[in-house]
Amino acid sequence: PRRFSLRVQQVFAAQGLLGHPYPVDFRTTSKKPSILDILPQAEAIEETSLFVCEMIGRLHYRLKYPD
């Protein structure tokens, strides 16, 4: 839920704008839990990729808009 709010707040603040974070990008499923849920899944690779992209984005904005 805080996924992008920190980065967006920094960008807005650098432009002199006041931003209010709003939780987005919720993900849900209606699948019932099973024993297979504890095994590694290909979806984990996608989630890791999203995390890595987010960290690269934060680094970029931190370097571009230092405090």
Side-chain angles (χ1 to χ4, degrees):
R2 274 199 64 203
R3 190 180 222 99
F4 298 104
S5 64
L6 177 61
R7 184 168 29 147
V8 171
Q9 282 179 296
Q10 291 171 340
V11 172
F12 275 44
Q15 299 300 315
L17 301 171
L18 177 62
H20 297 283
Y22 187 81
V24 296
D25 201 23
F26 290 105
R27 297 171 186 222
T28 63
T29 181
S30 60
K31 186 181 97 167
K32 292 186 179 185
S34 78
I35 192 68
L36 296 176
D37 291 336
I38 63 170
L39 299 175
Q41 300 175 356
E43 184 181 347
I45 295 171
E46 179 186 359
E47 294 294 325
T48 301
S49 175
L50 290 172
F51 172 78
V52 170
C53 287
E54 177 63 22
M55 292 300 106
I56 290 170
R58 286 186 186 196
L59 176 63
H60 170 76
Y61 281 103
R62 178 164 280 225
L63 294 173
K64 188 169 182 170
Y65 304 104
D67 291 340

